[in-house]
Amino acid sequence: MDNFKFHAYTEILFGKGQIQQLPAVLSKYGKNVLLAYGSGSIKKNGIYDSIQSLLSDFNVIDFADIEPNPHLATVERGRDLCLAHNVDVILAVGGGSVIDCSKVVAAATFYDGNAWDLVENSSKITKALPIVTVLTMAGTGSEMNKGAVITNTETQVKRGTGAWTTIPQTSIVDPTYLYTLPAKQTAAGSADIFSHVLESYFKRTPDAYVQDRMAEAILLTVIKYAPIAMVYPEDYSARANLAWASSLALNGILGSGKNGAWSVHPIEHELSAYYDLTHGIGLAILTPPWMRHILNEDTVDKFCEYGVNVWKLPSDMPRFDLANAAIDATETFFESLKIPMTLHEVGIDASKFEVMAKKAVELGGLAYAYVPMNEKDVVEILEACK
Ligand code: NZQ
Ligand code: ZN
């Protein structure tokens, strides 16, 4: 196992009714609260009103309309609000986009230059406003990690950043807040959790046994509960298990001790940078072709381990048959969540494959992935997604 630093920093207040603790949580930081949220789902489902009534003793400043795949311009708008209103704490209510945007706003408030500098170079993040989150969508794990992904729409670059100062102080995770998620977002979030686990699972480190068994448990959880949440959006057990799986998949516990770059996320970030695609949908489309592309004599045993432990395939099958059956099972699972499984279905043609491949290799460090990939590899994977 590789050396690592793991710090489970964020306080998680999990379960029905935990929102009642919000005033006590926020009052540790001050009275001026920036309430960050998206395009209005929290107004429709009542979360906005319940938060406003709980915060009657606070000075609440609205920071609305944070878009999916949040833009740099939105970060700048949030920073201006923080400076104008002397904000003490950011309350991010939403999914990964709202939380990620809030993290960079929190850091940009203490930075004199262009906020994009903080995205390009996380070492420039020295200080940040405290962040408290109320999660409304399971998927990114942003509620329990320091990462933030921002898109510069002028240059069509989507990049991740983050520092220990941008990790949420407290996250309130009430599974009932996920009941109103549209099926498409439930599926996309589930695919995102699945992919986060795979990104850590498929690594070179030979002896990370405990991480890999935990990884399989989270994959099994998604396989069990995502289909239930799709059909019964108000199934508490399904929402609760998916929400906790989201946090555990990307709070560092699976990836610690397993060095190396991720494989599929860098490619997906190019799809969403150029086409504003829903992150989890892009991951689901890319994952089976990526798996088929990297399956070889060197990797086949890892795919067999995955097939036996996750998909319960018979261990005595011929190795490549077993590996291919595991990949097929992955694809069938995403299809069962009604995810469109080709780029064509989501309106993406081949015209930008080369430029996206070049950027994925450069920005994502794909030379250091589980199976190193160059531009040609990425184009071949994209071609297989057509
Ligand atoms: O904007 P509103 O109206 O809130 O609607 C949102 C949005 O349209 C809706 N939604 C969220 N909760 C809802 C709801 N609708 C009804 N009821 C609810 N309870 O869902 C839509 C998608 O929300 P978004 O926050 O964009 O989704 P997600 O959580 O998947 O976040 C995606 C972003 O996170 C980044 C992605 O790249 C993308 O930019 N990621 C962040 C990571 C991190 N911080 O660690 C890691 C990930 O790999 C990922 O890259
Ligand atoms: Zn992701």
Side-chain angles (χ1 to χ4, degrees):
M1 206 184 291
D2 303 317
N3 292 358
F4 62 87
K5 168 184 172 172
F6 173 64
H7 189 183
Y9 184 87
T10 305
E11 173 185 60
I12 299 284
L13 299 175
F14 192 97
K16 211 179 281 183
Q18 293 285 15
I19 197 74
Q20 296 303 327
Q21 303 202 47
L22 190 58
V25 168
L26 291 174
S27 59
K28 289 185 224 164
Y29 308 108
K31 286 282 180 205
N32 296 340
V33 179
L34 186 79
L35 174 55
Y37 57 98
S39 309
S41 69
I42 66 163
K43 288 201 168 161
K44 284 194 207 118
N45 59 22
I47 297 174
Y48 179 86
D49 285 344
S50 53
I51 286 176
Q52 284 288 4
S53 63
L54 280 166
L55 300 189
S56 54
D57 291 340
F58 290 79
N59 175 27
V60 179
I61 301 107
D62 261 32
F63 173 31
D65 296 323
I66 299 172
E67 59 284 310
N69 302 321
H71 300 171
L72 174 63
T74 310
V75 170
E76 288 164 344
R77 183 162 61 85
R79 179 205 45 205
D80 293 348
L81 286 170
C82 287
L83 293 172
H85 296 274
N86 203 13
V87 163
D88 297 311
V89 53
I90 302 180
L91 175 60
V93 185
S97 296
V98 170
I99 301 173
D100 285 10
C101 181
S102 299
K103 288 174 180 174
V104 185
V105 168
T109 302
F110 294 100
Y111 183 72
D112 278 340
N114 187 328
W116 187 249
D117 297 348
L118 307 177
V119 182
E120 284 203 312
N121 183 354
S122 61
S123 71
K124 292 193 170 166
I125 301 177
T126 50
K127 199 174 170 194
L129 285 168
I131 296 165
V132 172
T133 88
V134 175
L135 189 70
T136 67
M137 166 153 180
T140 64
S142 189
E143 67 278 8
M144 204 179 174
N145 69 41
K146 59 192 171 75
V149 186
I150 302 296
T151 300
N152 185 332
T153 49
E154 279 176 23
T155 54
Q156 288 184 303
V157 174
K158 182 178 186 186
R159 278 192 88 149
T161 185
W164 287 107
T165 47
T166 56
I167 197 165
Q169 303 293 317
T170 295
S171 285
I172 294 177
V173 183
D174 180 337
T176 67
Y177 285 3
L178 278 59
Y179 286 174
T180 55
L181 265 176
K184 178 190 165 188
Q185 296 299 342
T186 299
S190 300
D192 195 17
I193 301 169
F194 209 91
S195 179
H196 294 156
V197 177
L198 295 179
E199 297 279 18
S200 294
Y201 191 76
F202 285 94
K203 284 281 170 62
R204 290 281 155 190
T205 318
D207 59 346
Y209 185 90
V210 61
Q211 289 95 322
D212 285 356
R213 300 296 80 74
M214 286 193 287
E216 288 157 1
I218 295 173
L219 295 176
L220 289 166
T221 301
V222 178
I223 292 165
K224 177 176 167 73
Y225 284 110
I228 297 174
M230 294 287 291
V231 180
Y232 305 103
E234 301 196 3
D235 185 298
Y236 187 83
S237 299
R239 293 300 190 184
N241 278 281
L242 289 171
W244 191 219
S246 156
S247 305
L248 292 176
L250 199 52
N251 71 351
I253 202 162
L254 301 183
S256 293
K258 300 192 78 177
N259 290 343
W262 284 13
S263 300
V264 179
H265 271 68
I267 309 175
E268 194 296 313
H269 282 172
E270 296 311 319
L271 294 177
S272 44
Y274 280 92
Y275 296 96
D276 205 16
L277 182 65
T278 299
H279 174 62
I281 303 292
L283 295 169
I285 295 171
L286 288 164
T287 295
W290 163 72
M291 287 177 154
R292 292 189 181 104
H293 188 82
I294 63 155
L295 175 60
N296 57 35
E297 190 55 51
D298 201 23
T299 61
V300 62
D301 289 339
K302 188 71 189 174
F303 279 102
C304 290
E305 186 182 329
Y306 168 65
V308 171
N309 293 343
V310 176
W311 295 109
K312 309 299 174 197
L313 295 166
S315 56
D316 57 358
M317 281 172 80
R319 289 188 313 151
F320 277 88
D321 290 354
L322 174 48
N324 277 306
I327 297 170
D328 291 347
T330 310
E331 191 166 51
T332 305
F333 173 64
F334 290 142
E335 281 166 359
S336 78
L337 301 181
K338 310 267 187 294
I339 296 177
M341 290 299 285
T342 61
L343 291 177
H344 173 74
E345 285 168 87
V346 294
I348 297 178
D349 62 22
S351 58
K352 296 197 168 69
F353 281 4
E354 270 82 17
V355 64
M356 292 194 295
K358 188 168 186 296
K359 278 166 73 179
V361 170
E362 277 171 23
L363 299 177
L366 290 179
Y368 305 98
Y370 173 59
V371 173
M373 290 185 286
N374 58 28
E375 286 171 43
K376 186 168 161 286
D377 293 304
V378 177
V379 169
E380 281 173 21
I381 291 169
L382 290 167
E383 288 283 344
C385 296
K386 282 204 294 193

